[in-house]
């Protein structure tokens, strides 16, 4: 007799308890190298290709992109936010529009 779907799912999850994040430890170990490569101007695709060919990362490119976005993208966005919070300089002598007309200027 075959088992129900719920019983088969329970057996599968018991056998494969680490299905949620099996690639995260390898990614975290390589995170400083990946950050440096991104700062050097390499694309995420080029980094993944190299690490995947070397056998250091075994996840798919899509999952690698997700890991980069979750663990490195937030750091880069935070740095950009703090760098862009500089106050604008407004005390300059440039063109200023005055919508009212003065009679001396018309004559």
């Amino acid at each position: 007799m075959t088992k129900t779907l719920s019983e088969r799912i329970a057996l599968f999850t018991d056998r494969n308890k680490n299905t949620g994040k099996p690639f995260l430890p390898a990614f975290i170990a390589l995170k400083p190298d990946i950050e440096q490569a991104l700062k050097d101007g390499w694309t995420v695709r080029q980094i993944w290709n190299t690490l995947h060919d070397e056998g250091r990362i075994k996840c798919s490119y899509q999952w690698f992109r997700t890991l980069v976005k979750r663990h490195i993208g937030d750091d880069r966005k935070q740095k950009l936010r703090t760098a862009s919070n500089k106050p604008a300089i407004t005390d300059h002598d440039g063109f200023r529009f005055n919508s009212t007309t003065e009679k001396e200027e018309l004559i």
Side-chain angles (χ1 to χ4, degrees):
M1 185 170 153
T2 62
K3 297 180 180 181
T4 65
L5 180 60
S6 295
E7 292 171 339
R8 293 188 315 232
I9 292 171
L11 285 173
F12 177 78
T13 55
D14 285 342
R15 282 187 232 135
N16 303 312
K17 290 191 181 213
N18 198 14
T19 57
K21 299 179 182 179
F23 307 114
L24 187 58
F27 180 84
I28 295 298
L30 294 169
K31 183 179 174 185
D33 295 335
I34 295 168
E35 285 176 330
Q36 185 59 44
L38 288 170
K39 286 179 188 174
D40 291 342
W42 298 103
T43 64
V44 176
R45 182 65 163 203
Q46 291 167 326
I47 296 168
W48 177 82
N49 278 334
T50 303
L51 294 174
H52 193 263
D53 289 343
E54 292 174 352
R56 297 176 78 188
I57 292 285
K58 295 182 179 162
C59 62
S60 67
Y61 171 66
Q62 288 80 10
W63 187 248
F64 183 75
R65 263 186 24 211
T66 302
L67 291 172
V68 169
K69 185 177 178 182
R70 285 183 187 169
H71 298 282
I72 296 175
D74 294 338
D75 297 341
R76 288 176 30 192
K77 286 180 187 175
Q78 187 65 23
K79 289 176 186 175
L80 289 175
R81 279 190 216 129
T82 57
S84 66
N85 286 341
K86 296 178 183 174
I89 300 172
T90 58
D91 54 327
H92 57 82
D93 294 334
F95 175 77
R96 297 188 191 274
F97 178 73
N98 186 0
S99 63
T100 61
T101 55
E102 297 181 18
K103 291 185 180 182
E104 293 87 29
E105 291 180 3
L106 295 174
I107 298 178

